[in-house]
Amino acid sequence: MTFKASQEFMAELLGTMVLILFGCGVVAMVVLFQSTDPVIPGQIVNGGYTNITLGWGFAVLMGIFIAGTISGAHLNPAVTIALALTGRFPWAKAPHYIAGQFLGAFLGAAIVFAVYHAKWLGFDPQLDNTTGIFSTFPAVPGFWPGFIDQVVGTALLMGLILAIGDKLNNAAGSAWGALAVAFVVMAIGISFGGMHGYAINPARDLGPRLFALVAGFRNTGFENGVWVVPVIGPIVGAIVGALIYDTFIGRPLLRAGEALPGTKGTDPAYNVEHQR
């Protein structure tokens, strides 16, 4: 199937918007609905960080379901750039994919704020302390701790996306790939979420952060450069992850597949065994 650029743009926009609706929505649930009388933290009454990791994983899954057939559901500029850099995706399409991703993230944040507006103003009337519902902030001050975290997290994401989608590595990937990618995001959040909130996606972080700025939130991260890390780090990490996968897994599998006759998309040892 062939789709127009406008259709791909809308698929990325809607897919990323759904991603943000569920993702930022679960963070809003945990943060805004803490009990004050008696004081019960949101992490107890609303699932806390466990719910956040589950919510973001399911958010990715739903975004893929929306956009997957038309655009491939990149939903992430870092993924788009890494796919283009490794020759899997045409550079000519990157601008409208990335534009759709950022606009979808911005709109998703706006809708989350509209849904929770009354509760939000009751919880944080000056909008001083809740930009973290939309975007990520570092646990440790400075550029490098968060940057290293984002590079590692996004390298894992990109490498595993390629592993899941590589038919020579995973013949059944098309059947359960969306769920597998959702599990990858959950795993990254569970294992590496503390240092910088595991943005691993420039649009997921910057789009909602821009909305927070426009909506009048304070302490948005633009005043001190915090916004830079979850933009640059994921792009570098996705490129690193793609190159590592191609060098050590993808190309060896491709060479083995080309050299051996028989069924493709399986372990080359299977083909060797069945030639005897």
Side-chain angles (χ1 to χ4, degrees), residues 42-267:
Q43 59 263 34
I44 295 175
V45 297
N46 292 313
Y49 191 66
T50 300
N51 268 21
I52 288 172
T53 56
L54 291 172
W56 276 108
F58 287 126
V60 169
L61 181 62
M62 301 310 163
I64 293 172
F65 284 158
I66 288 287
T69 300
I70 291 180
S71 69
H74 296 187
L75 313 181
N76 184 337
V79 170
T80 298
I81 291 169
L83 291 176
L85 189 70
T86 56
R88 293 177 169 88
F89 183 73
W91 279 109
K93 290 188 175 187
H96 68 261
Y97 267 63
I98 292 172
Q101 292 154 8
F102 274 106
L103 184 55
F106 184 95
L107 293 174
I111 296 171
V112 169
F113 187 58
V115 169
Y116 287 108
H117 185 261
K119 180 65 177 178
W120 212 306
L121 294 184
F123 183 86
D124 182 18
Q126 302 302 316
L127 303 179
D128 287 328
N129 305 305
T130 48
T131 307
I133 291 174
F134 292 126
S135 298
T136 63
F137 289 84
V140 179
F143 175 83
W144 289 107
F147 178 77
I148 293 169
D149 167 75
Q150 290 296 291
V151 169
V152 171
T154 318
L156 282 168
L157 174 68
M158 191 70 235
L160 286 163
I161 286 173
L162 295 181
I164 292 163
D166 187 344
K167 289 182 173 59
L168 290 173
N169 194 33
N170 175 26
S174 60
W176 60 284
L179 183 60
V181 173
F183 284 153
V184 170
V185 173
M186 289 182 195
I188 293 169
I190 290 168
S191 299
F192 295 100
M195 287 297 289
H196 212 295
Y198 76 109
I200 57 176
N201 180 339
R204 169 265 172 277
D205 194 86
L206 185 57
R209 197 186 300 271
L210 286 168
F211 169 76
L213 181 67
V214 170
F217 282 75
R218 302 177 186 179
N219 304 312
T220 59
F222 287 111
E223 68 279 358
N224 55 12
V226 164
W227 69 274
V228 174
V229 168
V231 172
I232 296 177
I235 293 172
V236 173
I239 293 169
V240 169
L243 293 176
I244 289 174
Y245 180 82
D246 282 348
T247 301
F248 298 106
I249 304 295
R251 287 176 189 150
L253 283 173
L254 183 60
R255 287 193 293 268
E258 290 173 343
L260 294 170
T263 305
K264 301 295 185 181
T266 59
D267 182 349

